[in-house]
Amino acid sequence: MIERPETAVPSIAQRNLEGYVGFANLPNQVYRKSVKRGFEFTLMVVGESGLGKSTLINSLFLTDLYSKDYPGPSQRIKKTVQVEQSKVLIKEGGVQLTLTIVDTPGFGDAVDNSNCWQPVINYIDSKCEDFLNAESRVNRRSMPDNRVHCCLYFIAPSGHGLKPLDIEFMKRLHDKVNVIPLIAKADTLTPEECQLFKKQIMKEIQEHKIKIYEFPDTEDDEDNKLIRKIKEKMPLAVVGSNVVIEVNGKKVRGRQYPWGVAEVENGEHCDFTVLRNMLIRTHMQDLKDVTNNFHYENYRSKKLAAVTCNGVDTAKTKGQLTKSPLAQMEEERREHVMKMKKMEAEMEQVFEMKVKEKKQKLKDSEAELERRHEQMKRNLEAQYKELEEKKRVFDDEKLHWEAQQRILEQQKLDASKTMEKNKKKGKIF
Amino acid sequence: MSESAKPHHPSPQGKGEKTHASDFSYVGIDAILEQMRRKAMKQGFELNIMVVGQSGLGKSTLMNTLFKSKVSRKSVQPNPEERIPKTIEIKSISHDIEEKGVRMKLTVIDTPGFGDHINNENCWQPIMKFINDQYETYLQEEININRKKRIPDSRVHCCIYFIPPTGHCLRPLDVEFMRRLSKVVNIVPVIAKADTLTLEERDFFKQTIREELRANGIDVYPQKEFDEDADDRMINDKIREMIPFAVVGSDQEYQVNGKRILGRKTKWGTIEVENIGHCEFAYLRDLLIRTHMQNIKDITGSIHYETYRVRRLNESNAHFKSQPSDQPAVQPKANGQPEVKPSAPQANGVAAKHEVMSHEM
């Protein structure tokens, strides 16, 4: 029996159900809907060239994003820092993931690396701005989320500590994106060196007050234990490889050296499995949430605060951070109209150009035809002249022949006359 | 005067006895080798090696491994500070080491701070200045009127440049540095921490580096133009096909197959430093110490130093010619007797060259 509360209860009281209602099925519905929708994830990799970023990405997602035919950006040394993104659609178990990998070739490679982080910051801000604009629209049916959810920063395995460049970069990006520092090419370090190095790095990170991504505590004790273990291993020392080697009859992915095989998925050799599990299997959604709730909100409040501060009445605009829907619609309509006008102008231009082209073509073909006509006429005239010539010759011949015939006839006549004469005379014979 | 030059005969006496009966024409000129050897052993040798590279590439460890003792800067400092200095410092540590009666004064010159900053523009300048300063010191000693019997040689004989094992190609910083310094000092490039690369990656990387060196006109040791004869060229060609050496350094010993060897122990295997199948440390050591040490010193003395000297004397000559009233830049530090040298630099040059050669002994 459900008891009706006597007083207005500020907190929600828990009730026990007496039968099966069925809302335990809600997670399944959510699950089915998300599966249909598909997921998006944007991962950024930053580090000097030659630290194995492309190899690690290939190993993490078991695809050849960067292969020999399409060499990764790191194969060529760039003059300035570029930001390149590649999109890949991966399917597994009916779940679709649109994975965007953002690479930063040229980072830290030049002699003078001041401000090499600027292109990276610009990229992240521009993606946040796109999202902000999409969010502020009136019609927001489709909002693609291209914000950078996670940034893997590769630290060179010097064994000593962080470089000034590492510290600068992380300090500038830790409040814009989730930064996860990794020790690259960890098979350079022996286990003792690795431990020392990790401690040194964490000390320096705390010294400089860099906020790297922190794993959230869950209510589950089991999970908490795992999370604490992961925290102790930070920063993760990774080795990447997509080459399959046979070790003791087992096929493993690893790197073959003359002195042994460094296995990528062996927890004792490196922390790759930890990274993969954390990044993909357990904390992907959390990374997206932190990006949305924390980094993006930071950006948004900063951006909008800047806008409102420029306004005259800051008190009045407190409740009008965004304009009223009508004004917004007006603006959108104006934008739309302008866009249309521009498109129209462009189309007209294109049309003009095409017309000109066609005219030119027609003129050309006309000239061509004329030329041919002329040529044919001349041909014909030449032939005509030839024929005339032939006819003349023929006429001449004919006359000549007729004259000859007449002479012949005359001769014949004469001959016959003389014959007759002779015949008459012949009677005498 | 290389350590491997054993005299052909155990003692001139013995040779004399042996040939006394058979060879009247034996004069005994080759006994000079023995005399030279004894003299060299008494005098001892000097070697100055400079190590250049980013921090964390294993320079100190490699020095310790090369000379099998703690000769690096970090081993000598009581409290090794790991911080990166704001400007590039040049730290020079000298040790006297001895082996089988042969004494050597080894100086390791370290350059902490090279290539570690965000803006590494002109980071090679302090190093070039240091090298030129050493040449200058030697030059000043040489043109002294009363000079010492044996001028202390602090010139940098060899500069080992550490290339980070990216596996792709040389970085702009590497190219810039090597281009400028290959003209003043012998550069031996090595691939640091070579246990990062598999054998195929190593070969590919070496090929790329060699091509880039050729494309940029960088002449590293052993330089092609200084090969003296066909034998030299053959040996050096073999070496040139192997540079840059992929090295791994270690000063810790481990037990492998019952033997104690230097190496690095990881969970998937132990890397043996002196095993040619694992890394090329043995080749580097042979080149630097066992076979080409004297050649390195000769080239430094007779070519790099002479180039510097000619340039300096020409400079002071020009200076003198333009300002005859002023005192010339090059002033020998004699007993308060300034002498005007540049009037006949050519003759001086030739004379001094011979004397330098004799001093090299």
Side-chain angles (χ1 to χ4, degrees):
Chain A
M1 258 255 302
I2 303 173
E3 301 161 41
R4 208 178 291 272
E6 307 278 287
T7 55
V9 184
S11 61
I12 300 176
Q14 274 197 326
R15 298 269 181 259
N16 287 328
L17 296 176
E18 307 228 337
Y20 177 67
V21 179
F23 60 80
N25 215 20
L26 271 172
N28 284 349
Q29 300 176 17
V30 172
Y31 168 79
R32 249 183 283 134
K33 203 163 202 182
S34 345
V35 166
K36 241 197 290 174
R37 228 186 344 198
F39 295 91
E40 288 172 316
F41 192 66
T42 306
L43 180 67
M44 177 182 262
V45 281
V46 185
E48 289 176 4
S49 89
L51 284 181
K53 306 188 287 289
S54 317
T55 316
L56 189 74
I57 298 288
N58 286 349
S59 319
L60 269 177
F61 296 101
L62 288 179
T63 59
D64 273 334
L65 230 69
Y66 301 123
S67 62
K68 285 224 188 319
D69 319 314
Y70 173 52
S74 54
Q75 296 283 3
R76 355 180 245 275
I77 286 261
K78 304 277 183 157
K79 291 288 162 138
T80 58
V81 181
Q82 316 271 336
V83 180
E84 294 183 2
Q85 75 174 31
S86 25
K87 266 197 192 323
V88 156
L89 184 64
I90 318 181
K91 280 197 202 173
E92 192 186 47
V95 178
Q96 272 192 142
L97 174 68
T98 308
L99 177 70
T100 311
I101 306 283
V102 183
D103 204 334
T104 53
F107 180 85
D109 284 333
V111 178
D112 182 359
N113 289 315
S114 333
N115 289 331
C116 63
W117 46 78
Q118 202 55 44
V120 178
I121 295 184
N122 289 346
Y123 179 84
I124 297 177
D125 280 346
S126 80
K127 293 295 168 206
C128 279
E129 180 156 339
D130 288 345
F131 194 78
L132 180 62
N133 286 340
E135 203 182 40
S136 323
R137 275 196 198 292
V138 173
N139 176 14
R140 34 184 212 188
R141 191 79 31 95
S142 74
M143 260 196 334
D145 187 0
N146 283 327
R147 295 169 295 186
V148 180
H149 298 121
C150 174
C151 174
L152 296 176
Y153 187 72
F154 286 72
I155 301 173
S158 63
H160 292 324
L162 288 176
K163 289 201 255 202
L165 180 62
D166 301 337
I167 298 175
E168 266 306 309
F169 180 85
M170 286 203 274
K171 269 212 295 214
R172 283 168 195 270
L173 258 82
H174 64 161
D175 53 4
K176 290 189 188 284
V177 72
N178 297 318
V179 176
I180 299 183
L182 300 173
I183 299 179
K185 294 199 168 175
D187 50 354
T188 317
L189 305 164
T190 64
E192 302 86 29
E193 289 170 355
C194 199
Q195 280 298 102
L196 277 170
F197 192 37
K198 284 187 183 182
K199 272 209 205 87
Q200 180 69 23
I201 292 182
M202 290 314 277
K203 197 167 74 137
E204 289 193 19
I205 284 182
Q206 272 159 13
E207 247 178 56
H208 293 273
K209 301 209 185 31
I210 297 173
K211 295 187 283 247
I212 57 177
Y213 174 69
E214 291 203 359
F215 300 89
D217 288 323
T218 59
E219 295 109 18
D220 200 353
D221 269 338
E222 271 291 324
D223 281 348
N224 264 348
K225 259 194 260 177
L226 281 168
I227 288 181
R228 230 170 297 144
K229 267 206 207 127
I230 297 180
K231 280 199 191 175
E232 276 171 35
K233 287 197 185 176
M234 291 287 279
L236 300 170
V238 292
V239 174
S241 169
N242 233 358
V243 177
V244 178
I245 302 174
E246 204 155 311
V247 171
N248 297 340
K250 242 188 341 154
K251 279 199 193 280
V252 288
R253 285 188 300 146
R255 291 172 62 75
Q256 172 96 43
Y257 294 111
W259 47 87
V261 175
E263 296 171 36
V264 164
E265 284 165 345
N266 187 333
E268 294 199 358
H269 290 188
C270 71
D271 299 328
F272 173 80
T273 31
V274 175
L275 174 70
R276 184 190 52 199
N277 292 346
M278 184 269 295
L279 194 60
I280 303 177
R281 295 181 190 175
T282 51
H283 284 82
M284 192 185 260
Q285 191 54 41
D286 185 60
L287 283 166
K288 289 172 74 166
D289 286 341
V290 172
T291 311
N292 191 29
N293 302 339
F294 185 64
H295 297 294
Y296 172 68
E297 290 300 315
N298 266 349
Y299 172 82
R300 188 171 172 277
S301 41
K302 263 193 241 160
K303 187 93 196 290
L304 296 177
V307 168
T308 57
C309 277
N310 284 338
V312 182
D313 298 38
T314 48
K316 196 158 88 172
T317 52
K318 195 166 175 211
Q320 294 180 4
L321 274 178
T322 51
K323 309 189 192 99
S324 62
L326 279 173
Q328 184 81 354
M329 255 167 47
E330 260 302 311
E331 206 184 283
E332 272 186 13
R333 198 179 65 83
R334 250 179 290 144
E335 243 184 69
H336 187 81
V337 167
M338 273 186 48
K339 220 179 7 176
M340 288 290 124
K341 275 216 199 110
K342 209 165 72 167
M343 276 175 67
E344 216 183 297
E346 268 178 34
M347 282 204 187
E348 267 198 47
Q349 253 184 18
V350 170
F351 179 70
E352 284 267 357
M353 219 172 55
K354 285 222 171 114
V355 165
K356 240 199 294 194
E357 259 183 56
K358 201 72 192 225
K359 270 205 200 137
Q360 187 68 19
K361 246 196 251 174
L362 284 172
K363 250 196 263 185
D364 282 342
S365 59
E366 206 185 310
E368 178 78 25
L369 280 171
E370 279 267 357
R371 209 175 42 83
R372 252 192 256 159
H373 179 81
E374 277 295 300
Q375 212 181 24
M376 274 193 154
K377 220 163 75 173
R378 260 179 275 145
N379 263 357
L380 278 171
E381 275 185 27
Q383 278 187 16
Y384 186 67
K385 275 208 194 96
E386 240 184 84
L387 278 172
E388 287 272 301
E389 184 71 35
K390 276 202 188 140
K391 189 159 166 233
R392 214 171 29 83
V393 168
F394 174 70
D395 278 341
D396 279 343
E397 263 193 57
K398 191 164 134 195
L399 281 169
H400 189 71
W401 185 80
E402 278 184 6
Q404 275 203 351
Q405 286 295 95
R406 256 179 276 139
I407 293 176
L408 267 171
E409 276 208 29
Q410 196 66 20
Q411 279 186 358
K412 241 201 263 173
L413 230 69
D414 283 342
S416 69
K417 268 200 196 132
T418 49
M419 275 280 292
E420 272 187 31
K421 255 197 218 157
N422 282 346
K423 247 190 206 165
K424 276 186 195 154
K425 274 197 192 146
K427 257 182 185 169
I428 310 173
F429 295 156
Chain B
M1 275 169 328
S2 54
E3 297 161 29
S4 58
K6 290 195 177 49
H8 293 294
H9 323 286
S11 65
Q13 180 97 33
K15 173 63 178 169
E17 269 179 27
K18 212 156 95 185
T19 56
H20 186 72
S22 52
D23 201 350
F24 284 123
S25 49
Y26 173 66
V27 179
I29 298 177
D30 56 353
I32 196 164
L33 285 174
E34 173 66 21
Q35 300 173 24
M36 277 171 64
R37 199 173 92 85
R38 262 195 258 131
K39 188 168 188 190
M41 286 192 43
K42 245 197 287 177
Q43 274 182 353
F45 297 90
E46 280 176 325
L47 183 65
N48 304 323
I49 299 188
M50 175 184 265
V51 280
V52 183
Q54 279 184 329
S55 93
L57 284 180
K59 306 189 288 288
S60 312
T61 315
L62 189 73
M63 282 295 113
N64 287 351
T65 320
L66 262 179
F67 294 102
K68 291 223 168 63
S69 57
K70 307 258 182 228
V71 295
S72 71
R73 158 184 70 98
K74 296 220 178 111
S75 325
V76 165
Q77 269 178 347
N79 269 344
E81 323 153 356
E82 297 288 354
R83 62 156 186 89
I84 295 172
K86 290 284 167 167
T87 55
I88 301 160
E89 302 168 348
I90 312 251
K91 293 217 169 96
S92 166
I93 316 244
S94 293
H95 299 267
D96 272 319
I97 49 184
E98 178 172 330
E99 186 184 52
K100 290 207 181 113
V102 179
R103 275 181 304 120
M104 182 155 95
K105 177 161 177 278
L106 170 73
T107 307
V108 176
I109 304 159
D110 203 345
T111 53
F114 176 85
D116 286 328
H117 307 288
I118 296 181
N119 184 354
N120 290 314
E121 207 75 46
N122 293 331
C123 61
W124 46 79
Q125 261 178 17
I127 298 176
M128 280 197 70
K129 185 168 170 310
F130 178 80
I131 295 177
N132 286 334
D133 282 346
Q134 306 310 307
Y135 287 149
E136 181 68 27
T137 319
Y138 196 87
L139 182 66
Q140 291 293 344
E141 277 296 328
E142 209 183 35
I143 52 184
N144 237 341
I145 299 178
N146 294 331
R147 53 188 175 188
K148 305 189 188 134
K149 193 162 95 171
R150 222 175 99 86
I151 305 176
D153 190 2
S154 65
R155 299 172 293 190
V156 178
H157 296 128
C158 170
C159 173
I160 305 184
Y161 186 74
F162 286 71
I163 300 174
T166 59
H168 293 317
C169 55
L170 284 178
R171 296 170 308 153
L173 177 64
D174 301 335
V175 173
E176 275 302 312
F177 179 86
M178 284 203 272
R179 197 153 48 101
R180 284 156 203 271
L181 257 79
S182 59
K183 305 200 179 98
V184 294
V185 73
N186 298 320
I187 291 197
V188 177
V190 294
I191 300 178
K193 295 200 167 175
D195 52 349
T196 317
L197 303 167
T198 61
L199 292 178
E200 302 91 34
E201 289 169 357
R202 183 198 293 183
D203 287 334
F204 174 74
F205 191 35
K206 279 205 212 189
Q207 223 179 340
T208 317
I209 292 183
R210 278 197 291 266
E211 272 169 30
E212 282 203 31
L213 289 179
R214 221 195 328 255
N216 283 300
I218 301 175
D219 226 351
V220 297
Y221 184 81
Q223 291 98 335
K224 254 205 169 106
E225 40 189 353
F226 305 143
D227 283 340
E228 280 165 29
D229 52 23
D231 276 337
D232 260 358
R233 207 168 305 134
M234 225 172 54
I235 302 176
N236 285 347
D237 273 343
K238 273 204 215 110
I239 298 175
R240 275 189 278 265
E241 269 168 42
M242 281 203 291
I243 55 168
F245 295 112
V247 294
V248 174
S250 167
D251 41 13
Q252 285 181 322
E253 285 188 348
Y254 292 100
Q255 195 94 0
V256 168
N257 293 343
K259 280 192 299 169
R260 286 201 69 79
I261 49 115
L262 287 174
R264 288 171 64 74
K265 188 156 186 203
T266 58
K267 287 261 157 73
W268 50 89
T270 306
I271 306 159
E272 298 169 36
V273 166
E274 306 220 7
N275 183 340
I276 302 186
H278 288 191
C279 75
E280 296 175 342
F281 170 79
Y283 292 131
L284 176 71
R285 184 205 41 214
D286 289 346
L287 177 81
L288 273 186
I289 301 177
R290 292 186 192 173
T291 53
H292 283 71
M293 187 193 274
Q294 192 54 38
N295 184 243
I296 289 177
K297 290 172 69 171
D298 280 345
I299 292 188
T300 310
S302 56
I303 292 169
H304 293 296
Y305 171 67
E306 288 302 312
T307 316
Y308 176 81
R309 187 169 169 282
V310 164
R311 195 160 43 94
R312 278 290 276 136
L313 291 182
N314 278 338
E315 265 174 32
S316 59
N317 198 18
H319 182 81
F320 176 67
K321 278 202 179 133
S322 61
Q323 295 162 336
S325 56
D326 284 354
Q327 285 178 339
V330 176
Q331 271 204 12
K333 308 180 295 229
N335 303 333
Q337 284 180 13
E339 198 177 83
V340 175
K341 299 275 309 174
S343 48
Q346 304 313 99
N348 256 346
V350 173
K353 197 169 183 168
H354 286 305
E355 274 160 9
V356 166
M357 291 301 242
S358 64
H359 268 272
E360 278 297 294
M361 289 163 55

